[in-house]
Amino acid sequence: MNPIQEYFYRIEEPERSTLLFLRDTILASDPENITETFSFGLPFIKYKKKMLCYFYYSKKYKKHYLSFYHGDRLDYPELIQDGRKKFKILLIDTEDDIPVEFILNLVQEVKRHIK
């Protein structure tokens, strides 16, 4: 098993399935330009080899989240900055419907800020 798979398989269900679904959905949204890598012990998703977003867990909110690079340029009330300079996070609540279209729209918007 590679480090990315290990990261996700250490997460309990139903969070694991939800995060794997989001990962696959984001990767499939632009398979020619979106890739993934494992850095700093976390799965990162890159666009044209530049950082797009990554998965992590918030001890403060007790939820997994997607952290978007250039999040400081995104203006949505669903995103939390919490003192981060370039990033904003979207908490993933597995009790609610996953906002797939919203997440894909965020990915598209961040891609426009990557040079």
Side-chain angles (χ1 to χ4, degrees), residues 90-103:
L90 177 66
L91 297 172
I92 307 299
D93 189 347
T94 56
E95 306 273 322
D96 293 337
D97 288 340
I98 303 303
V100 176
E101 290 302 316
F102 178 64
I103 291 169

Side-chain angles (χ1 to χ4, degrees), residues 2-113:
N2 71 40
I4 294 171
Q5 292 169 324
E6 285 179 25
Y7 175 88
F8 286 107
Y9 283 98
R10 283 182 293 189
I11 299 170
E12 298 291 323
E13 291 292 355
E15 290 86 4
R16 177 191 314 147
S17 293
T18 301
L19 296 175
L20 286 170
F21 168 76
L22 286 175
R23 171 185 166 242
D24 292 344
T25 301
I26 293 169
L27 290 171
S29 71
D30 187 355
E32 289 183 23
N33 295 304
I34 294 181
T35 58
E36 66 182 338
T37 188
F38 195 73
S39 298
F40 306 104
L42 301 172
F44 280 80
I45 295 179
K46 295 186 170 190
Y47 173 68
K48 295 185 177 179
K49 299 184 181 180
K50 297 192 179 175
M51 188 183 321
L52 180 69
C53 62
Y54 65 89
F55 291 92
Y56 199 47
Y57 181 79
S58 169
K59 292 177 186 172
K60 177 179 178 180
Y61 297 104
K62 299 194 180 352
K63 292 183 182 177
H64 291 274
Y65 64 82
L66 263 173
S67 181
F68 293 93
Y69 189 56
H70 295 301
D72 58 325
R73 299 178 185 186
L74 305 175
D75 188 26
Y76 297 97
E78 299 90 343
L79 299 176
I80 301 168
Q81 194 152 17
D82 264 356
R84 295 167 180 88
K85 290 186 179 189
K86 293 267 185 198
F87 292 86
K88 283 189 183 175
I89 66 171
L90 177 66
L91 297 172
I92 307 299
D93 189 347
T94 56
E95 306 273 322
D96 293 337
D97 288 340
I98 303 303
V100 176
E101 290 302 316
F102 178 64
I103 291 169
L104 291 176
N105 287 337
L106 291 173
V107 166
Q108 292 303 317
E109 195 166 335
V110 171
K111 282 167 56 175
R112 288 195 293 267
H113 296 291

